Amino acid sequence: MNKLIKKPYLIFWTSIPIISLLGFFIKADSFGFNVHDTYFVIATNHLIMLISLLFVIIGLGYWIMEKANRKLSKWLNLIHITLTFGGILIVLILTQCYRNEIMEYDFNNNLTLSITLILITVIFGQLIFPINIIRGLIKKLPNP
């Protein structure tokens, strides 16, 4: 675990093939969500490619900072990794809890609200990455 906090690019880069395989085996062709009067539909393979590209960029940022001998905060690394992977895992678990009975609309609405709040937290949690990078760039280099 300590190695993953010191080298967070490892977890991001190793998760790319896993996410790609999961995307390949998912039966859904599209992912849709409603924002006010607009219904957005995204193909599942496009969403998988977008997440993979995001993980490549994040992993590359962490890797470049390590090669430049810049120290990143272990706590910010841990928070970023936990929010990213923990939030995505919780959302995947919660999406399996939807009920199909017509009388369960309140449950589904509360579940949708919970998933939305978790996804917003995950998205805002991605702001920790540039904050950590900027902090690492501003912080003085250790004396050799």
Side-chain angles (χ1 to χ4, degrees):
M1 182 70 172
N2 197 17
K3 185 175 184 177
L4 291 178
I5 294 171
K6 288 182 180 178
K7 297 182 178 191
Y9 59 88
L10 293 176
I11 192 168
F12 283 100
W13 286 347
T14 55
S15 66
I16 293 170
I18 296 168
I19 291 171
S20 298
L21 283 174
L22 285 175
F24 180 73
F25 290 115
I26 289 178
K27 302 284 189 263
D29 291 332
S30 63
F31 172 74
F33 59 96
N34 187 9
V35 177
H36 297 291
D37 292 338
T38 307
Y39 192 72
F40 295 99
V41 178
I42 301 171
T44 304
N45 58 349
H46 292 157
L47 186 62
I48 296 301
M49 285 189 297
L50 180 67
I51 291 171
S52 297
L53 180 64
L54 178 68
F55 282 6
V56 166
I57 292 169
I58 290 172
L60 191 61
Y62 279 126
W63 181 76
I64 289 172
M65 291 301 285
E66 181 182 321
K67 293 302 175 189
N69 288 328
R70 297 294 190 160
K71 294 290 183 185
L72 297 176
S73 170
K74 290 181 184 178
W75 283 105
L76 290 177
N77 287 350
L78 180 64
I79 292 169
H80 182 239
I81 292 169
T82 304
L83 283 177
T84 301
F85 291 102
I88 291 172
L89 184 64
I90 290 172
V91 167
L92 288 175
I93 291 170
L94 288 179
T95 56
Q96 302 303 314
C97 297
Y98 273 106
R99 297 183 182 167
N100 293 326
E101 292 84 20
I102 197 160
M103 301 302 288
E104 300 294 336
Y105 282 127
D106 287 338
F107 178 80
N108 285 345
N109 285 340
N110 291 336
L111 189 61
T112 302
L113 177 64
S114 300
I115 291 171
T116 304
L117 291 175
I118 292 169
L119 283 175
I120 289 171
T121 305
V122 169
I123 291 169
F124 280 120
Q126 298 312 304
L127 293 175
I128 293 172
F129 173 68
I131 290 170
N132 198 6
I133 296 291
I134 292 170
R135 181 191 166 279
L137 290 173
I138 293 174
K139 193 174 178 182
K140 290 185 178 182
L141 286 172
N143 292 332

